[in-house]
Amino acid sequence: MGVVMDPGDKGMVATMAGQSCEIGILFGDISGSTQLYEVLGDRAALAAIEGCLRAATGVVTAHGGAVVKTIGDELMAAFPDPAAMFDAALAMQRCMETQAGPEGAKRLALRIGFHYGPAIRTGADYFGNTVNVAARMVQIARAGQIITSGDLAGLLPQAQRAATRELTRFSVKGKSEATRIVEVVWQESGGLTAVDVLSRSPPTVLRPLLQLDCAGIVRIFEGEREVTLGRDAGNDLVVAHDRVSRRHATLGLRRDRWMLTDHSTNGSFIAFDGEPERPLHLDAIDLHGAGTIGLGQPAALGGGVRFSVLLRRR
């Protein structure tokens, strides 16, 4: 059985499973929706989330994209032009910033991740590595943050590239090499380097220090070297628990971000204040604000480390 091609559908190659194409994929995920249901109840929370998704859909359409689907509190969109997708991501965050929060709850925030490359189009949906990478980007992003790949950043016009900064490299399932991670700076994000995307005024650079509190012992690190956490006595921070690996995790300063990297058997658990706890295993995540790190088990079960990113002017 063959596949009939639309003669006007340029740049697409027919396959038995769908059509190969070059496309930009963007995921937007509403942060804090679980707590919203607990605070407001099902009906009011659902109405707030649907309102947020409607606003995001309007932004996607206005920038030449198309919403592929919405699942729960997440939106998937496709863009033929990576520069338009970049602008849409900024517009979505600015739209969220102007939205009033639901009565009795704080304003909703959006995590955005996107990527551009080859994919397989089947009907109105897309599959393949580009979709997987975009999904990984939104998993890395925190509330109010936009994350993309270094590969996509290289496709952007200079004015847009100037509004990005490289964070680190992450492993992506199905890819043999680590993927470069880039943040799109659209506001004073996390209190670090303030960059105005429009005015290009000189940035105010703040030096991030890391404060760790383990069992009432507080230490501050400035980033001159990597900080080690684990069960062995030779670690900078020793957590004596049988689920903690000898050298469980490391904390290091990468550019202007503190990164937590898990090296353990049982994994780590990271919870930023006001956000749900998330697992981390043989992977890395950038730290911001304050929260807790559980080594080998959720912090609530014991052995948790309290962290705070403190800012000092250079």
Side-chain angles (χ1 to χ4, degrees):
M1 183 175 68
V3 177
V4 179
M5 287 287 292
D6 181 350
D9 202 0
K10 297 180 180 179
M12 306 191 76
V13 179
T15 68
M16 293 298 291
Q19 295 175 317
S20 297
C21 61
E22 294 282 326
I23 195 72
I25 298 294
L26 179 147
F27 286 98
D29 180 67
I30 299 172
S31 178
S33 60
T34 301
Q35 292 90 332
L36 196 67
Y37 280 99
E38 294 175 356
V39 172
L40 298 181
D42 292 349
R43 188 178 298 276
L46 180 61
I49 290 168
E50 288 179 340
C52 175
L53 292 175
R54 279 196 300 272
T57 297
V59 172
V60 169
T61 304
H63 287 80
V67 172
V68 177
K69 55 189 171 184
T70 59
I71 303 174
D73 58 3
E74 186 176 67
L75 171 147
M76 175 183 174
F79 291 82
D81 179 18
M85 181 166 58
F86 180 101
D87 287 339
L90 267 66
M92 288 169 73
Q93 291 292 22
R94 289 170 178 155
C95 177
M96 289 296 299
E97 200 173 36
T98 62
Q99 297 285 314
E103 186 176 351
K106 65 180 182 180
R107 186 176 62 208
L108 291 172
L110 200 61
R111 301 186 297 131
I112 296 176
F114 60 90
H115 186 58
Y116 184 90
I120 299 296
R121 179 178 177 178
T122 302
D125 209 346
Y126 296 86
F127 303 89
N129 184 63
T130 295
V131 178
N132 295 338
V133 173
R136 184 71 175 102
M137 298 301 101
V138 78
Q139 290 170 358
I140 294 169
R142 66 177 188 268
Q145 193 176 32
I146 303 170
I147 295 293
T148 187
S149 66
D151 291 343
L152 182 139
L155 301 175
L156 298 172
Q158 177 57 36
Q160 290 181 335
R161 287 201 306 272
T164 66
R165 60 181 173 191
E166 187 166 337
L167 299 180
T168 185
R169 292 175 182 266
F170 279 77
S171 59
V172 175
K173 187 176 181 180
K175 297 197 72 174
S176 58
E177 296 183 358
T179 299
R180 290 169 51 227
I181 303 301
V182 170
E183 178 184 10
V184 177
V185 183
W186 66 279
Q187 64 168 23
E188 291 187 7
S189 178
L192 296 178
T193 305
V195 180
D196 189 328
V197 175
L198 299 178
S199 68
R200 303 282 169 230
S201 57
T204 299
V205 181
L206 301 176
R207 178 186 185 186
L209 309 180
L210 184 67
Q211 176 179 293
L212 298 179
D213 181 348
C214 182
I217 300 174
V218 179
R219 298 180 63 185
I220 294 179
F221 300 91
E222 297 189 1
E224 286 83 359
R225 62 178 180 81
E226 201 167 55
V227 180
T228 59
L229 294 77
R231 195 172 74 239
D232 273 356
N235 288 289
D236 294 294
L237 206 64
V238 179
V239 180
H241 191 283
D242 58 7
R243 291 189 62 82
V244 178
S245 297
R246 296 181 183 278
R247 186 175 181 271
H248 194 99
T250 54
L251 291 156
L253 193 61
R254 306 288 186 269
R255 297 180 182 268
D256 61 358
R257 297 276 183 172
W258 278 96
M259 304 295 301
L260 169 67
T261 305
D262 178 81
H263 309 283
S264 70
T265 301
N266 294 318
S268 299
F269 296 81
I270 178 78
F272 298 102
D273 285 354
E275 298 184 19
E277 190 171 56
R278 66 181 79 173
L280 184 74
H281 187 224
L282 303 178
D283 209 339
I285 190 170
D286 68 290
L287 300 182
H288 63 277
T292 57
I293 302 169
L295 302 182
Q297 62 184 4
L301 298 181
V305 177
R306 180 77 183 166
F307 73 86
S308 300
V309 178
L310 310 174
L311 302 173
R312 178 184 296 170
R313 290 185 182 276
R314 295 184 187 273

